[in-house]
Amino acid sequence: MRVLVLGGTGAIGGAIVRNLIAAGHAVSGLARSPEAAERLMEIGAEPIAGDIGNPRLWAGAVVGDLDAVVHAACSFTDAMGPLDSSLLDTLLPALAGTSRRPSLIYTGGCWLWGPSPDKTIDEETTLDPLPAFAWMVPNLRRVLAEPGIRGAVVHPAMVHAERTGPLAAMAERVRKGQPVQVVGSPDVMWPLVHADDLAELYRLVLEDAAFTGQVIGVADNGVPVGTLARLMAGGETAIELVPEDHAARERGDWARGFARSQRMSGALARDRFGWTPARCLDPGMPDLDSAAKRS
Ligand SMILES: NC(=O)c1ccc[n+]([C@@H]2O[C@H](COP(=O)([O-])OP(=O)(O)OC[C@H]3O[C@@H](n4cnc5c(N)ncnc54)[C@H](OP(=O)(O)O)[C@@H]3O)[C@@H](O)[C@H]2O)c1
């Protein structure tokens, strides 16, 4: 398939690019800077110059050749909602106008659901988004409702990888001899997925042309952050509690999500797509619980 990845230099998009190329797909990536173009070429994707803020400059020219777009770009600024909406204003009609019914795989996320430490969230659970990401809900509905494309939404849990994401940040603080920072409380539970496992799920969704709808990508359903800090430290470690308001002031309102306690189910991804995440924090019990019980 010929696939354009938006956000192909990011934590999620980069893993998707590498996975799709390894599976034999022809991958291009939107690059908003020469540095991004360089990074895309390094991982084997063809860079296409453009910004999600100016889709009229690139969308019409590229979509005619595509079988699919994977959208995993996000600016994490106050403007991210309007930016995403205006991207869809141009991208959806451009894709629908190609008459080949291309796929658009949109990225949602665990923070589109409310706190749910006791009841496991699945795709049927009513959405209750973090206010900073509320714009994603109408946008993902637009993707699913567009008749001229095959729309699907992947909802990643909290993403971890060796060099990026909140677990890597914890490990870095341990390496520097600093206390691990925890927003809210060490009892807050995070659903988790490794970036490479998540990328595999995106590929499976992409290749299953009959699938439309939403799917959650989670490997460890919900692990207390205090347990994660100890796992990253390889034993007991000092924890510095960061109030939610402070995190929001420092990083943006979206950072309130770090204090959202959730458990999520990956059953649909496993049952429908045969997805078998290999990089669970607790390989002995991939569908969670033991890490939580250890705490
Ligand atoms: N990471 C998680 O734990 C997680 C969990 C659930 C959902 N999500 C969602 O997944 C999406 C991607 O997250 P991520 O963690 O992969 O983010 P990330 O690592 O910060 O990557 C963001 C990507 O978007 C690109 N981008 C940002 N603004 C752009 C613009 N104006 N034009 C073109 N490209 C632009 C960046 O390109 P540059 O290289 O040029 O900066 C980068 O490739 C977000 O919507 C996020 O809410 C993430």
Side-chain angles (χ1 to χ4, degrees):
M1 273 191 237
R2 283 162 300 183
V3 187
L4 170 65
V5 178
L6 313 181
T9 52
I12 294 176
I16 295 171
V17 168
R18 287 191 295 274
N19 183 293
L20 293 179
I21 289 173
H25 296 294
V27 180
S28 52
L30 194 70
R32 61 170 164 164
S33 66
E35 295 74 28
E38 187 70 29
R39 285 207 299 279
L40 287 166
M41 282 191 289
E42 276 167 16
I43 56 175
E46 178 200 352
I48 291 180
D51 191 297
I52 56 170
N54 62 16
R56 265 171 292 183
L57 297 183
W58 52 267
V62 299
V63 295
D65 289 333
L66 295 174
D67 299 302
V69 174
V70 177
H71 176 15
C74 184
S75 68
F76 293 97
T77 63
D78 289 346
M80 59 184 166
L83 207 62
D84 198 71
S85 304
S86 77
L87 169 70
L88 294 185
D89 289 345
T90 299
L91 189 58
L92 286 176
L95 287 170
T98 63
S99 79
R100 55 202 302 178
R101 204 164 177 267
S103 297
L104 175 56
I105 315 296
Y106 187 84
T107 301
C110 49
W111 295 345
L112 300 190
W113 280 277
S116 192
D118 302 319
K119 191 169 182 299
T120 302
I121 293 164
D122 65 22
E123 290 80 358
E124 301 301 317
T125 305
T126 304
L127 295 173
D128 177 12
L130 196 70
F133 280 109
W135 52 270
M136 264 190 183
V137 174
N139 286 6
L140 72 84
R141 291 195 174 127
R142 283 177 71 187
V143 170
L144 294 175
E146 171 56 57
I149 64 165
R150 193 269 291 202
V153 180
V154 177
H155 291 287
M158 302 280 284
V159 177
H160 62 102
E162 285 66 31
R163 270 175 283 180
T164 183
L167 297 197
M170 284 181 182
E172 179 65 11
R173 288 187 68 89
V174 170
R175 258 195 304 279
K176 290 180 174 166
Q178 298 168 332
V180 172
Q181 290 181 312
V182 165
V183 180
S185 155
D187 298 329
V188 165
M189 297 179 77
W190 286 355
L192 290 153
V193 64
H194 191 282
D196 292 341
D197 285 330
L198 179 66
E200 178 74 0
L201 177 61
Y202 273 84
R203 183 178 65 78
L204 294 169
V205 172
L206 190 68
E207 292 174 351
D208 185 342
F211 179 79
T212 61
Q214 309 183 54
V215 60
I216 291 170
V218 62
D220 292 284
N221 316 42
V223 185
V225 183
T227 302
L228 293 172
R230 286 196 289 280
L231 281 174
M232 291 303 111
E236 287 306 315
T237 185
I239 284 179
E240 176 189 330
L241 284 183
V242 178
E244 187 184 323
D245 286 344
H246 181 82
R249 267 196 310 276
E250 290 277 299
R251 305 181 67 175
D253 230 28
W254 62 268
R256 293 183 184 283
F258 291 121
R260 209 160 246 220
S261 192
Q262 297 175 315
R263 293 168 57 109
M264 304 190 93
S265 167
L268 176 64
R270 294 164 193 274
D271 296 348
R272 163 84 197 206
F273 302 102
W275 181 57
T276 49
R279 299 161 191 85
C280 301
L281 292 172
D282 183 350
M285 192 175 277
D287 216 7
L288 129 112
D289 285 327
S290 62
K293 283 177 195 148
R294 275 205 304 269
S295 75

